[in-house]
Amino acid sequence: MEGVVIRAVTESDAAALRTIYAPYVENTCISYEYTSPTMEEFAERIAHTLEKYPYLAAESDGEILGYVYAGSFHPRAAYDWAVETSIYVREEQKGRGLGRLLYQSLEQALKEQGFVSMNACIAYPPEEDEFLTRSSAEFHEHMGFQLVGRFHQCSYKFGRWYDMIWMEKHIGVHPSPPSPVKPFQSVRRALREKYGIL
């Protein structure tokens, strides 16, 4: 996408990312958090993620337009080769292909590290309303994810009950035994040289 750079996030980006994320918490059920994290909490989340996983931003003219990251699918060791993913794009930037670009970049980073499965936990409405549509599920389907499970009326926000679904995408072979996953920082150079991810 012309004029857009994908780069790794740093803790100093916390304010910009929090500005993107806060409306999802305060005005939608896309996030099931009730209150937005503080600046300090957001910076801590970034630092914790970057200890192992990719955390990427789409930037244009020095302005962050959206971001994507991966985290632990489950803390037990047998799940080490799977991740849970999250993505947020500024409302006025939706529909430009930023989400696709961010997710493609995330997938490239995860493959480079040795992960084999991407999983997404997605808020899902029994019926679409002003707080939640099914657009996130549709986006993930377009990105090659498949539905693997649905939990009914498991989440309560804005005075309504909502569902949650899990979707998955396999991004690599499943060898036996698998090689240990590499930390994100160790593949930064390869990502820059192969894909232009800064």
Side-chain angles (χ1 to χ4, degrees):
M1 183 179 293
E2 189 174 351
V4 175
V5 172
I6 302 296
R7 66 165 178 84
V9 163
T10 69
E11 290 176 62
S12 64
D13 295 312
L17 271 56
R18 184 180 180 275
T19 298
I20 294 172
Y21 181 61
Y24 285 95
V25 175
E26 296 163 4
N27 305 321
T28 81
C29 289
I30 292 171
S31 168
Y32 281 152
E33 287 198 89
Y34 276 15
T35 57
S36 299
T38 65
M39 274 279 297
E40 293 75 18
E41 288 171 334
F42 213 107
E44 287 173 7
R45 292 182 186 187
I46 291 171
H48 178 69
T49 298
L50 287 172
E51 290 173 4
K52 182 175 181 180
Y53 302 99
Y55 206 135
L56 306 173
E59 186 177 78
S60 179
D61 295 325
E63 185 175 19
I64 295 178
L65 309 179
Y67 65 94
V68 67
Y69 63 94
S72 172
F73 176 63
H74 193 284
R76 291 184 180 166
Y79 295 96
D80 276 357
W81 295 269
V83 300
E84 181 180 348
T85 62
S86 297
I87 183 169
Y88 296 95
V89 175
R90 278 173 39 181
E91 184 65 35
E92 72 276 11
Q93 296 294 330
K94 290 182 178 179
R96 295 185 52 203
L98 284 170
R100 176 175 292 277
L101 180 61
L102 282 164
Y103 244 41
Q104 288 172 340
S105 300
L106 180 67
E107 184 173 329
Q108 289 163 344
L110 292 169
K111 285 180 178 178
E112 201 69 33
Q113 290 181 255
F115 292 106
V116 296
S117 298
M118 297 170 69
N119 304 277
C121 179
I122 301 169
Y124 194 83
E127 295 182 10
E128 292 187 322
D129 60 28
E130 67 271 32
F131 301 117
L132 187 61
T133 69
R134 294 173 180 165
S135 60
S136 183
E138 293 165 358
F139 166 76
H140 282 82
E141 185 177 359
H142 290 148
M143 293 302 299
F145 284 69
Q146 294 183 332
L147 178 68
V148 291
R150 179 172 176 176
F151 297 82
H152 298 88
Q153 294 185 313
C154 61
S155 308
Y156 184 79
K157 189 174 179 181
F158 298 143
R160 303 177 190 184
W161 287 99
Y162 292 96
D163 297 353
M164 181 270 285
I165 63 173
W166 277 102
M167 300 184 77
E168 72 173 3
K169 181 179 182 180
H170 289 176
I171 60 173
V173 298
H174 289 66
S176 182
S179 299
V181 169
K182 303 171 186 174
F184 174 60
Q185 298 299 338
S186 73
V187 302
R188 292 281 303 277
R189 181 175 178 179
L191 292 174
R192 185 167 54 249
E193 293 175 351
K194 289 184 181 180
Y195 308 108
I197 298 172
L198 305 179

